Amino acid sequence: MRVSQIPWWGLPLVAVVFALAGAGVAHLVAARNNDLLHRSRRDRQWYEERKEAYCRLLAAFEHATHRLRVTFDAGEKPPTALNYVDQIGPALMPVRLLASGPVRSAALAVHLQLERLHGEMNPAGVVGVQPQTHFRELLAQVPLVMQQFEAAVRDELGIVDTPPKSLPSLNGRVKARDPERQ
């Protein structure tokens, strides 16, 4: 009978080395998964913060526009620019801080248009223009400028106007579609 040339401590040493390597790999994989999970949560939170800020500002713009239309139709004087800034300011500030350049520019374009409507109508520099006509024309431009803001928001957030394709289910389970087999 032949005795092995491996020392008695060789097998336990190999087992310990592989156990440590396995633990190290498991630690690295867990750290990578935690990093990916953290990044995913941060991205989702970023998206939700921006979406909420944009929706709040759009609602504030809509409210200000509606209020202008109602006061104009009633023949009343529109609210002052200071009242408008007090109303829009809390919704505009997060957008100014969080938005990308195109969205911020589009939001400020709507804001300036509405601010102009809340200010004194002074078309005296243009001969033959009546203040009511000037006001009506500026008010009619607000939805167009808001549409540009909405388009910039959709582009930034990746919002598409078509719903995702639904997957057929098989016994309550979602079955993946193969586009080549259709």
Side-chain angles (χ1 to χ4, degrees), residues 4-68:
S4 170
Q5 295 295 331
I6 300 174
W8 67 269
W9 47 266
L11 187 59
L13 178 67
V14 170
V16 166
V17 167
F18 278 104
L20 287 175
V25 168
H27 179 71
L28 289 175
V29 168
R32 181 177 175 272
N33 284 343
N34 284 340
D35 183 49
L36 290 174
L37 182 63
H38 176 70
R39 191 176 308 154
S40 172
R41 285 182 182 155
R42 191 179 64 229
D43 289 349
R44 193 174 321 122
Q45 180 182 4
W46 171 89
Y47 181 85
E48 290 299 321
E49 282 177 0
R50 286 188 175 198
K51 186 174 75 170
E52 182 180 331
Y54 298 160
C55 288
R56 202 175 14 208
L57 183 60
L58 277 169
F61 282 157
E62 287 289 339
H63 179 72
T65 305
H66 175 73
R67 194 171 64 181
L68 280 172

Side-chain angles (χ1 to χ4, degrees), residues 6-151:
I6 300 174
W8 67 269
W9 47 266
L11 187 59
L13 178 67
V14 170
V16 166
V17 167
F18 278 104
L20 287 175
V25 168
H27 179 71
L28 289 175
V29 168
R32 181 177 175 272
N33 284 343
N34 284 340
D35 183 49
L36 290 174
L37 182 63
H38 176 70
R39 191 176 308 154
S40 172
R41 285 182 182 155
R42 191 179 64 229
D43 289 349
R44 193 174 321 122
Q45 180 182 4
W46 171 89
Y47 181 85
E48 290 299 321
E49 282 177 0
R50 286 188 175 198
K51 186 174 75 170
E52 182 180 331
Y54 298 160
C55 288
R56 202 175 14 208
L57 183 60
L58 277 169
F61 282 157
E62 287 289 339
H63 179 72
T65 305
H66 175 73
R67 194 171 64 181
L68 280 172
R69 287 185 199 282
V70 167
T71 55
F72 181 74
D73 290 342
E76 300 172 3
K77 188 174 182 181
T80 65
L82 189 58
N83 287 345
Y84 166 74
V85 171
D86 286 344
Q87 176 193 1
I88 293 292
L92 183 61
M93 203 49 59
V95 173
R96 290 178 65 184
L97 293 174
L98 296 172
S100 65
V103 172
R104 187 174 34 256
S105 295
L108 290 175
V110 177
H111 172 63
L112 290 175
Q113 183 77 7
L114 287 172
E115 194 173 45
R116 191 177 310 143
L117 286 165
H118 283 86
E120 289 294 320
M121 287 286 118
N122 189 9
V126 181
V127 178
V129 175
Q130 297 177 355
Q132 294 83 5
T133 306
H134 184 64
F135 184 86
R136 220 175 305 124
E137 288 174 354
L138 287 177
L139 191 58
Q141 292 174 5
V142 171
L144 301 174
V145 181
M146 280 186 58
Q147 190 176 25
Q148 292 172 347
F149 174 54
E150 292 167 5

